[in-house]
Amino acid sequence: MAISPDVYEIQLTRVKAHLILEPDLSLIDTGYRGSQSRIARAIALHGRSIDDLARVICTHGHPDHAGCARALGQSGASIFMHPADRAGLGTGWRAAIRHPSRGRVFAAMTPEPTDFVPIVDGDVLPVLGGLEVVHTPGHTAGSVCLYGARDGVLFVGDVLQRRFGRVSYASGLYSDDHAAAKRSVKRLAALDVETIIFSHYPPLREGAARTLTALARDVAD
């Protein structure tokens, strides 16, 4: 599905990845382990090859967002991720079972990329005229949003959700620090956003900036 002339949604198992169709192809999030064939088919619909994929940007390290990163990296794409989440992906099942936590289990479910390019707050990637990395910790320590000022688009990963049409904060059930995740939304309200692009829900095109302002206003300092 086309979100804009350059941005296409790829529906994977229980999550959406987003293909940026430019001379150098970019992909935001990867789906679970084993998603590469579906990603390849989606890219082929545009007359391109998965071998043209230059970069994969993971909004965070959960298995539905970074589970296929290792396989795509082995195919030649550069894998971009915040170091705080990349560090956790070295967690094995033994450690997750010995000291169980939601974060350790999710990390153990996510294959560890062999190489990665660290991204931190304020970095600007050569995508969509300049895609700014906004560090929004809380859902995970290394969760990031990606802001394209040229088009007013904001990729929020799981920092926001849109259940039953209503935009709300990151899931308390799946977040490492729900209070921090809510506080991170204050940073998003300062951006000039026209479209919010979610990982599990349809994009919000109407009233995006007002929605972010309202959410930020409701967060306690």
Side-chain angles (χ1 to χ4, degrees):
M1 182 183 82
I3 294 177
S4 73
D6 301 316
V7 180
Y8 291 82
E9 176 188 292
I10 303 175
Q11 181 63 58
L12 301 170
T13 301
R14 295 192 293 277
V15 71
K16 305 173 192 295
H18 292 93
L19 177 67
I20 314 300
L21 198 63
E22 296 178 320
D24 286 338
L25 293 184
S26 301
L27 186 72
I28 297 176
D29 290 331
T30 74
Y32 289 98
R33 180 203 308 250
S35 296
Q36 59 265 38
S37 60
R38 293 174 70 175
I39 293 170
R41 288 196 296 271
I43 292 174
L45 292 176
H46 301 283
R48 304 288 293 274
S49 165
I50 196 170
D51 294 335
D52 298 330
L53 193 58
R55 64 185 64 82
V56 173
I57 311 162
C58 297
T59 60
H60 59 290
H62 280 177
D64 53 338
H65 293 259
C68 197
R70 176 194 284 177
L72 295 174
Q74 290 171 343
S75 296
S78 296
I79 308 301
F80 292 75
M81 188 183 299
H82 194 281
D85 274 16
R86 172 60 183 84
L89 297 188
T91 302
W93 279 111
R94 182 174 299 177
I97 293 170
R98 183 178 299 137
H99 303 288
S101 71
R102 184 184 298 112
R104 289 191 185 95
V105 170
F106 285 155
M109 292 172 63
T110 308
E112 185 178 7
T114 52
D115 294 297
F116 90 113
V117 180
I119 50 174
V120 297
D121 189 65
D123 284 352
V124 179
L125 306 177
V127 180
L128 295 176
L131 199 58
E132 181 181 352
V133 176
V134 184
H135 186 209
T136 45
H139 183 62
T140 65
S143 285
V144 300
C145 294
L146 302 165
Y147 173 58
R150 184 192 69 187
D151 303 321
V153 296
L154 180 68
F155 299 86
V156 295
D158 285 351
V159 170
L160 295 173
Q161 50 184 341
R162 192 187 181 193
R163 301 184 68 217
F164 309 112
R166 179 177 176 272
V167 180
S168 58
Y169 309 103
S171 165
L173 179 62
Y174 296 111
S175 294
D176 293 346
D177 185 336
H178 191 230
K182 292 174 68 173
R183 289 193 299 270
S184 287
V185 175
K186 289 193 170 189
R187 299 201 60 202
L188 305 180
L191 305 174
D192 185 10
V193 177
E194 297 179 10
T195 303
I196 302 173
I197 301 176
F198 304 87
S199 292
H200 297 276
Y201 308 94
L204 178 67
R205 302 178 188 277
E206 299 294 331
R210 290 196 306 273
T211 297
L212 293 172
T213 298
L215 289 170
R217 189 187 305 123
D218 290 341
V219 177
D221 291 323

